[in-house]
Amino acid sequence: MTEDEVPTTGAVRDKLIRTKEKWAEEGRLLTGTTADPARDRLPPGQTLVKDWPVLDLGVQPDVSKAKFRLRVEGLVENRLALDWDAFMALPQSEMVCDIHCVTQWSRYDNRFAGVKVADILAQARPKPEARFVSLTCYDGYTTNLTLEDFAAPDVIFAHAWEGAPLERQHGAPVRLVLPRLYFWKSPKWITRVELLAADRPGFWEVRGYHNRGDPWMEERYG
Ligand SMILES: Nc1nc2c(c(=O)[nH]1)N[C@H]1C(S)=C(S)[C@@H](COP(=O)(O)O)O[C@H]1N2
Ligand SMILES: [Mo]
């Protein structure tokens, strides 16, 4: 394996994964209601928290800034392999957003700083046939999005939270933040973006989670 290749998940918490998979099968946590994001700030079935919980597969990779690469490949005119300096040289944006996790916690008013996905895509230039993205992380985690959801103006590659560098447990040095979908669609320790013509369901999506994950539609499970 070369320096920046992505490991396959091995030492992940298999028991925790099986539990969540079972919840998905049984439709646990479903309230059976929907809400309107324009009117209801808190999506159905969610509970507000003050602290920021940590959820992952149990492996929190130590990704140094020296090792970090953000690759954008697949159906693009211009493949990118940004190192830390190139990433930080891109236009910087700030965003305050709410977080909604499928395990029913929500947290309001999180201030993130980073680079807008749209600004990176403008450099990579997706080909017309690109319609989906597959995202891969340093812990082997993957998730999938439509290019439309990924390229929305409020989606950023975040490197800071509340004015300080993102902590390792929350995905340092860089994670995605996509506030309009459940938080499993916001990969931590991100390293690769692949643009695709056909959808490729990710880690939780093949284990019973919904393919899109809109919290107001309560799209918890597939
Ligand atoms: N690389 C990676 N990203 C990930 C995960 C993961 O296991 N690995 N878990 C997802 C899930 S299920 C959630 S709820 C959020 C949690 O992010 P947090 O730990 O910063 O709250 O990260 C998402 N991104
Ligand atoms: Mo989650």
Side-chain angles (χ1 to χ4, degrees):
M1 212 161 82
T2 60
E3 175 75 358
D4 57 23
E5 237 176 280
V6 174
T8 50
T9 51
V12 300
R13 286 184 293 182
D14 288 326
K15 197 167 163 218
L16 176 102
I17 292 164
R18 278 199 303 276
T19 303
K20 286 191 168 179
E21 214 174 353
K22 195 150 167 285
W23 287 14
E25 266 168 40
E26 294 167 356
R28 279 274 286 275
L29 313 181
L30 287 176
T31 65
T33 55
T34 61
D36 175 2
R39 206 186 47 219
D40 309 300
R41 186 171 181 185
L42 192 66
Q46 296 295 108
T47 304
L48 271 182
V49 297
K50 285 259 158 53
D51 292 334
W52 185 7
V54 174
L55 280 100
D56 48 53
L57 304 176
V59 177
Q60 298 178 340
D62 186 1
V63 184
S64 66
K65 287 173 182 168
K67 185 177 154 192
F68 171 75
R69 294 290 181 283
L70 181 61
R71 299 176 189 283
V72 184
E73 42 198 44
L75 297 172
V76 290
E77 302 291 349
N78 183 32
R79 286 172 64 129
L80 303 177
L82 304 171
D83 64 13
W84 178 255
D85 290 340
F87 175 76
M88 293 304 284
L90 292 167
Q92 299 290 313
S93 302
E94 275 214 1
M95 166 172 83
V96 177
C97 68
D98 300 344
I99 296 171
H100 308 291
C101 173
V102 71
T103 59
Q104 285 187 305
W105 58 268
S106 292
R107 190 176 187 283
Y108 286 164
D109 296 323
N110 301 272
R111 189 161 52 93
F112 290 102
V115 178
K116 280 188 181 182
V117 166
D119 289 336
I120 287 192
L121 288 176
Q123 283 206 6
R125 285 182 278 123
K127 293 183 177 175
E129 60 270 32
R131 291 191 46 223
F132 300 93
V133 294
S134 170
L135 309 175
T136 306
C137 310
Y138 282 104
D139 62 343
Y141 182 81
T142 58
T143 192
N144 59 309
L145 295 164
T146 63
L147 182 54
E148 194 185 350
D149 280 332
F150 181 60
D154 59 350
V155 185
I156 71 170
F157 291 103
H159 58 73
W161 176 76
E162 301 300 339
L166 202 61
E167 286 178 78
R168 173 173 166 183
Q169 60 182 356
H170 289 298
V174 177
R175 76 172 302 157
L176 194 75
V177 176
L178 196 161
R180 284 188 287 168
L181 299 177
Y182 284 122
F183 216 34
W184 89 78
K185 294 289 192 180
S186 291
K188 312 197 273 192
W189 314 290
I190 192 165
T191 182
R192 193 164 70 223
V193 177
E194 195 180 343
L195 282 85
L196 303 165
D199 200 7
R200 183 196 294 160
F203 186 89
W204 286 120
E205 292 82 5
V206 302
R207 288 170 176 77
Y209 280 33
H210 196 279
N211 200 51
R212 178 149 189 266
D214 181 333
W216 289 273
M217 300 299 290
E218 213 182 16
E219 293 175 341
R220 296 181 196 275
Y221 309 123

PDB file of all heavy atoms in Angstrom, residues 20 55 101-103 105 183-184 204 209, ligand 2:
ATOM      1  N   LYS A  20     -26.485  -1.293  14.259  1.00  0.00           N
ATOM      2  CA  LYS A  20     -27.106  -0.242  13.443  1.00  0.00           C
ATOM      3  C   LYS A  20     -27.782  -0.838  12.205  1.00  0.00           C
ATOM      4  O   LYS A  20     -28.830  -0.367  11.766  1.00  0.00           O
ATOM      5  CB  LYS A  20     -26.060   0.788  13.027  1.00  0.00           C
ATOM      6  CG  LYS A  20     -25.634   1.708  14.146  1.00  0.00           C
ATOM      7  CD  LYS A  20     -24.822   2.839  13.562  1.00  0.00           C
ATOM      8  CE  LYS A  20     -24.570   3.965  14.520  1.00  0.00           C
ATOM      9  NZ  LYS A  20     -23.742   5.006  13.871  1.00  0.00           N
ATOM     10  N   LEU A  55     -19.187  10.003  16.329  1.00  0.00           N
ATOM     11  CA  LEU A  55     -19.643   8.726  15.775  1.00  0.00           C
ATOM     12  C   LEU A  55     -18.794   8.338  14.580  1.00  0.00           C
ATOM     13  O   LEU A  55     -18.594   9.140  13.669  1.00  0.00           O
ATOM     14  CB  LEU A  55     -21.100   8.832  15.304  1.00  0.00           C
ATOM     15  CG  LEU A  55     -22.173   8.732  16.388  1.00  0.00           C
ATOM     16  CD1 LEU A  55     -22.670  10.099  16.747  1.00  0.00           C
ATOM     17  CD2 LEU A  55     -23.291   7.843  15.927  1.00  0.00           C
ATOM     18  N   CYS A 101     -28.054  13.977  13.029  1.00  0.00           N
ATOM     19  CA  CYS A 101     -27.545  12.608  12.890  1.00  0.00           C
ATOM     20  C   CYS A 101     -28.712  11.639  12.888  1.00  0.00           C
ATOM     21  O   CYS A 101     -29.695  11.826  13.612  1.00  0.00           O
ATOM     22  CB  CYS A 101     -26.592  12.282  14.037  1.00  0.00           C
ATOM     23  SG  CYS A 101     -26.077  10.544  14.044  1.00  0.00           S
ATOM     24  N   VAL A 102     -28.593  10.570  12.118  1.00  0.00           N
ATOM     25  CA  VAL A 102     -29.662   9.582  12.001  1.00  0.00           C
ATOM     26  C   VAL A 102     -29.940   8.893  13.338  1.00  0.00           C
ATOM     27  O   VAL A 102     -31.031   8.395  13.569  1.00  0.00           O
ATOM     28  CB  VAL A 102     -29.326   8.562  10.898  1.00  0.00           C
ATOM     29  CG1 VAL A 102     -28.190   7.644  11.318  1.00  0.00           C
ATOM     30  CG2 VAL A 102     -30.545   7.739  10.495  1.00  0.00           C
ATOM     31  N   THR A 103     -28.965   8.890  14.261  1.00  0.00           N
ATOM     32  CA  THR A 103     -29.178   8.293  15.574  1.00  0.00           C
ATOM     33  C   THR A 103     -29.925   9.252  16.508  1.00  0.00           C
ATOM     34  O   THR A 103     -29.927   9.071  17.723  1.00  0.00           O
ATOM     35  CB  THR A 103     -27.854   7.842  16.229  1.00  0.00           C
ATOM     36  OG1 THR A 103     -27.001   8.988  16.365  1.00  0.00           O
ATOM     37  CG2 THR A 103     -27.154   6.790  15.380  1.00  0.00           C
ATOM     38  N   TRP A 105     -29.729  12.636  17.253  1.00  0.00           N
ATOM     39  CA  TRP A 105     -29.323  13.907  17.865  1.00  0.00           C
ATOM     40  C   TRP A 105     -29.170  14.973  16.788  1.00  0.00           C
ATOM     41  O   TRP A 105     -28.783  14.690  15.658  1.00  0.00           O
ATOM     42  CB  TRP A 105     -28.033  13.768  18.683  1.00  0.00           C
ATOM     43  CG  TRP A 105     -26.827  13.269  17.944  1.00  0.00           C
ATOM     44  CD1 TRP A 105     -26.421  11.973  17.831  1.00  0.00           C
ATOM     45  CD2 TRP A 105     -25.855  14.051  17.215  1.00  0.00           C
ATOM     46  NE1 TRP A 105     -25.277  11.902  17.079  1.00  0.00           N
ATOM     47  CE2 TRP A 105     -24.901  13.158  16.686  1.00  0.00           C
ATOM     48  CE3 TRP A 105     -25.702  15.420  16.966  1.00  0.00           C
ATOM     49  CZ2 TRP A 105     -23.811  13.566  15.920  1.00  0.00           C
ATOM     50  CZ3 TRP A 105     -24.617  15.838  16.199  1.00  0.00           C
ATOM     51  CH2 TRP A 105     -23.686  14.914  15.692  1.00  0.00           C
ATOM     52  N   PHE A 183     -26.087  13.257   8.958  1.00  0.00           N
ATOM     53  CA  PHE A 183     -24.645  13.497   9.062  1.00  0.00           C
ATOM     54  C   PHE A 183     -23.786  12.327   8.588  1.00  0.00           C
ATOM     55  O   PHE A 183     -22.581  12.485   8.443  1.00  0.00           O
ATOM     56  CB  PHE A 183     -24.309  13.868  10.512  1.00  0.00           C
ATOM     57  CG  PHE A 183     -23.225  14.907  10.642  1.00  0.00           C
ATOM     58  CD1 PHE A 183     -23.087  15.927   9.710  1.00  0.00           C
ATOM     59  CD2 PHE A 183     -22.351  14.886  11.716  1.00  0.00           C
ATOM     60  CE1 PHE A 183     -22.096  16.883   9.842  1.00  0.00           C
ATOM     61  CE2 PHE A 183     -21.361  15.830  11.860  1.00  0.00           C
ATOM     62  CZ  PHE A 183     -21.229  16.833  10.917  1.00  0.00           C
ATOM     63  N   TRP A 184     -24.386  11.153   8.359  1.00  0.00           N
ATOM     64  CA  TRP A 184     -23.537  10.078   7.809  1.00  0.00           C
ATOM     65  C   TRP A 184     -23.117  10.406   6.383  1.00  0.00           C
ATOM     66  O   TRP A 184     -22.182   9.819   5.845  1.00  0.00           O
ATOM     67  CB  TRP A 184     -24.227   8.711   7.897  1.00  0.00           C
ATOM     68  CG  TRP A 184     -25.094   8.305   6.745  1.00  0.00           C
ATOM     69  CD1 TRP A 184     -24.671   7.819   5.537  1.00  0.00           C
ATOM     70  CD2 TRP A 184     -26.527   8.305   6.676  1.00  0.00           C
ATOM     71  NE1 TRP A 184     -25.759   7.532   4.723  1.00  0.00           N
ATOM     72  CE2 TRP A 184     -26.909   7.824   5.407  1.00  0.00           C
ATOM     73  CE3 TRP A 184     -27.538   8.681   7.584  1.00  0.00           C
ATOM     74  CZ2 TRP A 184     -28.243   7.705   5.012  1.00  0.00           C
ATOM     75  CZ3 TRP A 184     -28.860   8.561   7.187  1.00  0.00           C
ATOM     76  CH2 TRP A 184     -29.196   8.086   5.924  1.00  0.00           C
ATOM     77  N   TRP A 204     -22.786   2.825   4.738  1.00  0.00           N
ATOM     78  CA  TRP A 204     -24.082   2.644   5.405  1.00  0.00           C
ATOM     79  C   TRP A 204     -25.207   2.409   4.409  1.00  0.00           C
ATOM     80  O   TRP A 204     -26.189   1.733   4.713  1.00  0.00           O
ATOM     81  CB  TRP A 204     -24.413   3.843   6.310  1.00  0.00           C
ATOM     82  CG  TRP A 204     -23.612   3.852   7.569  1.00  0.00           C
ATOM     83  CD1 TRP A 204     -22.755   4.824   7.983  1.00  0.00           C
ATOM     84  CD2 TRP A 204     -23.581   2.836   8.592  1.00  0.00           C
ATOM     85  NE1 TRP A 204     -22.181   4.477   9.186  1.00  0.00           N
ATOM     86  CE2 TRP A 204     -22.674   3.276   9.581  1.00  0.00           C
ATOM     87  CE3 TRP A 204     -24.221   1.609   8.766  1.00  0.00           C
ATOM     88  CZ2 TRP A 204     -22.397   2.519  10.729  1.00  0.00           C
ATOM     89  CZ3 TRP A 204     -23.943   0.860   9.906  1.00  0.00           C
ATOM     90  CH2 TRP A 204     -23.043   1.323  10.867  1.00  0.00           C
ATOM     91  N   TYR A 209     -29.199   1.831   5.226  1.00  0.00           N
ATOM     92  CA  TYR A 209     -29.546   3.245   5.356  1.00  0.00           C
ATOM     93  C   TYR A 209     -30.112   3.754   4.026  1.00  0.00           C
ATOM     94  O   TYR A 209     -29.848   3.210   2.959  1.00  0.00           O
ATOM     95  CB  TYR A 209     -28.312   4.078   5.743  1.00  0.00           C
ATOM     96  CG  TYR A 209     -27.955   4.019   7.211  1.00  0.00           C
ATOM     97  CD1 TYR A 209     -28.179   2.868   7.978  1.00  0.00           C
ATOM     98  CD2 TYR A 209     -27.387   5.112   7.840  1.00  0.00           C
ATOM     99  CE1 TYR A 209     -27.844   2.829   9.322  1.00  0.00           C
ATOM    100  CE2 TYR A 209     -27.047   5.076   9.189  1.00  0.00           C
ATOM    101  CZ  TYR A 209     -27.276   3.927   9.925  1.00  0.00           C
ATOM    102  OH  TYR A 209     -26.933   3.902  11.243  1.00  0.00           O
TER     103      TYR A 209
HETATM  104 MO    MO B   2     -24.488   8.622  12.134  1.00  0.00          MO
END
